[in-house]
Amino acid sequence: MEVSALLATGERMVDEDGMVKQAPLATIQQAEYDEDARFKKVKTGLHSSGALDAETRNNAGDMEDEDGDFEIPKAAIKKRKRKEKRRSRLFPSFDVDPSAIKDKINVADLRDLVLWILADGVAPKWLSIYNKLGITHMATILVPGLTPDLFGVNLDAIQPVSISAIASKMPQELTFISGHFEHLWPTRAPGDRTKLFSPMTAFMNSPLTKADKNSLQKNGAAKKNGAHTSDNVPLKNFLMSAEELLDGDYPIHSATVVADDDDREELEEGWVETARRPADQTHEKKGTIMVQNMYRVYGLDCEMCLTTHGSALARVTIVNWNREVVMDELVLPDNPITDYLTQYSGITAKMLDNVSTTLSDVQKKLTSFIYSDDVLVGHSLENDFKALKLRHPTVIDTSVIYHHSRGLPSKPSLKWLAQKFLKKEIQHLKNGHDSAEDARTCIDLVKLKIEKGVDFGTFNPTTEPLLRRLARSAANTSGGAETSSRNGRGAVVDYGNPAQWHGTDARTIVSCTNDDEVVSGVVNSIGQHDLVWARLREVEFNRGYVAYYGLRKERREKTLAGKSGNNAEDTNGSAEDTDAADGKASHGDGDLQTCLINLNQRLKQIWESLPPATAMIIMSGSGDPREMSRLNAMRAQFTEEFKTKKWDEVSVKWTDTENQQLIEATKVARAGVSFIAIKEPTDHGS
């Protein structure tokens, strides 16, 4: 069927101005395919059997070129141009009016754009889309390391900048971006005045509408009224992911799968980590309690005191799933004690009078019966692990699985959780905490969570995973019926184990170790999913942006020693100079140049794999976080030292001057860039 015939039949409606209204893209594409096939017959004069078409011979006449091929009749050329112009009106496109944009877009705006195109979101005010229903797929590629200065764009820019206007300033290696995108969008990353929040979390989580909240609350109430058993919710649902361990400042065990190997540092002197269970060591050998026929679970709590060298372990208590104490040891610190912190720890000088047990003794005893696959339960266990100088990968943190009533990032206290959910008072003794009581309380909270469900204790969730929102929207629009194109609508392609933090609702999860594997995952996924989310990290690694929204404590000293002032060097030793004459960034560093060339090729490869009418978003997520990270590390060190030292004794000072520097550095860290385009039928990489 010709496109013109398609319009004439009423399957396409045209208004008085000649603008085409919405119609199924599949029908258009089939019509275009049929028309293209018929046109090829005109050019070659051949049927599928290879016989020359008599009508074509008559139309072509004697217009045969030197190679024996028939030239295209001029009438056919004009007719085809008219049809191509008509078809161009049917194809989806973005429409931008930079002068109408009064504020910088943010990462959440890009997420909402996805929701509007693929689900039931609200139309954006900053961008218009012609024939939105014609967009068949979306690919969102996160590329940390792309910053406004790299493209010669002012940090304070608000409106989208024409690519043609910055063509001479942007990296010449990125020919793909200059050839396929019309605008650079200055994009604000999530955060506050002194911190940068995770752009992945902002993008991959969708705010709930009031109706959605009410519906989820009703469903949750119905589940709570139903029958429950101890096996209702698998214990593994509460285990901390690798990203949660990193964000929580936990020491990282060698068995933990992380995206960046730098997050797993060498085992320092005096530290230990739990070992893998020997092949001949079964769970039942010691007759211990098994949870859900799979896990040995222990509650852990430590008490600390202050010494001449800072905080040190004074007591460690471990209880099993039945709340029975299996280990309870007082510990004599290696250095002289300056404060027993009795009001918090319950430790007194008399309790430690005859104690000779050392930290090393405790480490040996603990690791003799707790293996890396055993689950340790506690409240903010990162502090206990640091006191024990212990690395362990399998953790349930009650400060994470239960939420504060004010919501994230606030964390609830164990005392409050016990009052709220267990209806009991703990930590009420004048002589401090009871570590056994605290460990038992953590075990009780996990048991309650298994009984009540994952959402119990989360206080009216205000967000849900983006991919879950897409699937739920599809179910609503189809009356709950399953369709091949709308169920399991997303794919997540990322480093490490994406399913642990932002891909649990995806139909496809692709775990990668490098950017080439990411590209392969996107290419193999895009045709079968409505949305593919992926992250390319080579530029990020090269520029030293890793762990940008939470510098781990173990790195603070190294960071402070390696960088100072506003002339902070890149962590890989390279530097970026600024040409004051034209504001153009110098890209003379060979490693960065190579990374940009690789990035260009990878983006081109992804683009070429996209089906026509696929919208592509390239976003940096954030800006340059290095100076912000340095200053935050400096502030954290000052805060920690000032608890036990006088002003003239601390190794770093924190004044209003440093605070203002941090505010300015955070503005730089939150200044990202984005690019948006739709692939047209004849569009290829360059």
Coordinates of all heavy atoms in Angstrom, one line a residue, residues 483-513:
T483 N 1.4 -8.4 27.2 CA 1.7 -8.2 25.8 C 3.2 -8.4 25.7 O 4.0 -8.0 26.5 CB 1.3 -6.8 25.3 OG1 2.0 -5.8 26.1 CG2 -0.2 -6.6 25.5
S484 N 3.6 -8.8 24.5 CA 5.0 -9.1 24.3 C 5.9 -7.9 24.3 O 7.0 -7.9 24.7 CB 5.2 -9.8 23.0 OG 4.8 -9.0 21.9
S485 N 5.3 -6.7 24.0 CA 6.1 -5.5 23.9 C 6.1 -4.7 25.1 O 6.8 -3.7 25.2 CB 5.6 -4.7 22.7 OG 4.2 -4.2 22.9
R486 N 5.2 -5.0 26.0 CA 5.1 -4.1 27.2 C 5.3 -4.7 28.5 O 5.3 -4.0 29.5 CB 3.6 -3.5 27.2 CG 3.4 -2.6 26.0 CD 4.3 -1.4 25.9 NE 4.0 -0.5 24.9 CZ 4.8 0.5 24.5 NH1 6.0 0.7 25.0 NH2 4.4 1.4 23.5
N487 N 5.6 -5.9 28.7 CA 5.9 -6.5 29.9 C 7.4 -6.8 30.0 O 8.0 -7.3 29.1 CB 5.1 -7.8 30.1 CG 3.7 -7.6 30.5 OD1 3.4 -6.7 31.3 ND2 2.8 -8.4 29.9
G488 N 8.0 -6.5 31.2 CA 9.4 -6.6 31.3 C 10.0 -5.6 30.3 O 10.7 -6.0 29.4
R489 N 9.7 -4.3 30.4 CA 10.0 -3.4 29.3 C 11.4 -2.9 29.3 O 11.8 -2.2 28.3 CB 9.0 -2.2 29.5 CG 7.6 -2.6 29.5 CD 6.7 -1.4 29.7 NE 6.7 -0.5 28.6 CZ 6.1 0.7 28.6 NH1 5.5 1.1 29.7 NH2 6.2 1.5 27.5
G490 N 12.2 -3.1 30.3 CA 13.5 -2.5 30.4 C 14.7 -3.4 30.5 O 14.5 -4.6 30.9
A491 N 15.8 -2.9 30.1 CA 17.1 -3.7 30.2 C 18.1 -2.7 30.9 O 18.1 -1.5 30.6 CB 17.6 -4.1 28.9
V492 N 18.9 -3.3 31.8 CA 19.9 -2.5 32.5 C 21.3 -3.1 32.2 O 21.5 -4.3 32.4 CB 19.7 -2.5 34.0 CG1 20.9 -1.8 34.7 CG2 18.4 -1.7 34.3
V493 N 22.2 -2.3 31.6 CA 23.5 -2.8 31.3 C 24.5 -1.9 32.0 O 24.7 -0.8 31.8 CB 23.7 -2.7 29.7 CG1 25.1 -3.3 29.3 CG2 22.6 -3.3 29.0
D494 N 25.3 -2.6 32.9 CA 26.1 -1.8 33.8 C 27.3 -2.7 34.4 O 27.2 -3.9 34.3 CB 25.3 -1.2 35.0 CG 26.0 0.0 35.6 OD1 27.1 0.4 35.1 OD2 25.5 0.5 36.6
Y495 N 28.2 -2.0 35.0 CA 29.3 -2.7 35.7 C 28.8 -3.5 36.9 O 27.8 -3.1 37.5 CB 30.4 -1.7 36.1 CG 31.3 -1.2 35.0 CD1 30.8 -0.5 33.9 CD2 32.6 -1.4 35.0 CE1 31.6 -0.1 32.9 CE2 33.5 -0.9 34.0 CZ 33.0 -0.3 33.0 OH 33.8 0.2 32.0
G496 N 29.6 -4.5 37.3 CA 29.2 -5.2 38.5 C 28.0 -6.0 38.4 O 27.8 -6.7 37.4
N497 N 27.1 -6.0 39.4 CA 25.9 -6.7 39.4 C 24.7 -5.7 39.5 O 24.2 -5.4 40.6 CB 25.8 -7.7 40.6 CG 24.5 -8.5 40.6 OD1 23.8 -8.5 39.7 ND2 24.3 -9.3 41.7
P498 N 24.2 -5.2 38.4 CA 23.2 -4.2 38.4 C 21.9 -4.6 39.1 O 21.2 -3.7 39.6 CB 22.9 -3.9 36.8 CG 24.1 -4.5 36.2 CD 24.6 -5.6 37.0
A499 N 21.6 -5.9 39.1 CA 20.4 -6.3 39.7 C 20.3 -6.0 41.2 O 19.2 -5.9 41.8 CB 20.2 -7.8 39.5
Q500 N 21.5 -5.8 41.8 CA 21.5 -5.5 43.2 C 21.1 -4.1 43.6 O 20.7 -3.9 44.7 CB 22.9 -5.8 43.8 CG 23.3 -7.2 43.9 CD 24.6 -7.4 44.6 OE1 25.5 -6.7 44.4 NE2 24.7 -8.5 45.4
W501 N 21.2 -3.2 42.7 CA 20.8 -1.8 43.1 C 19.8 -1.1 42.3 O 18.9 -0.5 42.8 CB 22.1 -0.9 43.3 CG 23.0 -0.9 42.1 CD1 23.0 -0.1 41.1 CD2 24.2 -1.7 41.9 NE1 24.0 -0.3 40.2 CE2 24.8 -1.3 40.7 CE3 24.7 -2.8 42.7 CZ2 25.9 -1.9 40.2 CZ3 25.9 -3.3 42.2 CH2 26.5 -2.9 41.0
H502 N 19.8 -1.3 40.9 CA 18.8 -0.5 40.2 C 18.2 -1.3 39.0 O 17.6 -0.7 38.1 CB 19.4 0.8 39.7 CG 20.6 0.7 38.9 ND1 21.9 1.0 39.3 CD2 20.8 0.2 37.6 CE1 22.8 0.8 38.4 NE2 22.2 0.3 37.3
G503 N 18.3 -2.6 39.0 CA 17.8 -3.3 37.9 C 16.9 -4.5 38.3 O 16.7 -5.4 37.5
T504 N 16.4 -4.5 39.5 CA 15.6 -5.6 40.0 C 14.3 -5.7 39.2 O 13.7 -6.8 39.2 CB 15.3 -5.5 41.5 OG1 14.7 -4.2 41.7 CG2 16.6 -5.6 42.3
D505 N 13.8 -4.7 38.6 CA 12.5 -4.7 37.8 C 12.8 -4.8 36.3 O 11.8 -4.7 35.6 CB 11.7 -3.5 38.2 CG 11.2 -3.6 39.6 OD1 10.2 -4.3 39.9 OD2 11.8 -2.9 40.5
A506 N 14.0 -5.0 35.9 CA 14.3 -5.1 34.5 C 14.0 -6.5 34.0 O 14.2 -7.5 34.7 CB 15.7 -4.7 34.2
R507 N 13.6 -6.6 32.7 CA 13.5 -7.9 32.1 C 14.9 -8.6 31.8 O 15.1 -9.8 31.9 CB 12.7 -7.9 30.8 CG 12.4 -9.2 30.2 CD 11.5 -9.1 29.0 NE 12.2 -8.6 27.9 CZ 11.6 -8.3 26.7 NH1 10.3 -8.5 26.6 NH2 12.3 -7.9 25.7
T508 N 15.8 -7.7 31.5 CA 17.1 -8.2 31.2 C 18.2 -7.4 32.0 O 18.1 -6.2 32.1 CB 17.4 -8.0 29.7 OG1 16.5 -8.7 28.9 CG2 18.8 -8.4 29.3
I509 N 19.1 -8.2 32.6 CA 20.2 -7.6 33.3 C 21.5 -8.0 32.7 O 21.7 -9.2 32.5 CB 20.2 -8.0 34.8 CG1 18.9 -7.6 35.5 CG2 21.4 -7.5 35.5 CD1 18.8 -6.2 35.7
V510 N 22.4 -7.1 32.3 CA 23.7 -7.4 31.7 C 24.8 -6.9 32.6 O 24.9 -5.7 32.8 CB 23.8 -6.9 30.3 CG1 25.1 -7.3 29.7 CG2 22.6 -7.3 29.4
S511 N 25.6 -7.8 33.2 CA 26.7 -7.4 34.0 C 28.0 -7.3 33.2 O 28.3 -8.2 32.4 CB 26.9 -8.5 35.1 OG 28.0 -8.1 35.9
C512 N 28.7 -6.2 33.4 CA 29.9 -5.9 32.5 C 31.1 -5.6 33.4 O 31.0 -5.2 34.5 CB 29.6 -4.8 31.6 SG 28.1 -5.0 30.6
T513 N 32.2 -5.7 32.7 CA 33.5 -5.3 33.4 C 34.2 -4.2 32.6 O 35.2 -3.7 33.1 CB 34.4 -6.6 33.5 OG1 34.7 -7.1 32.2 CG2 33.8 -7.7 34.3

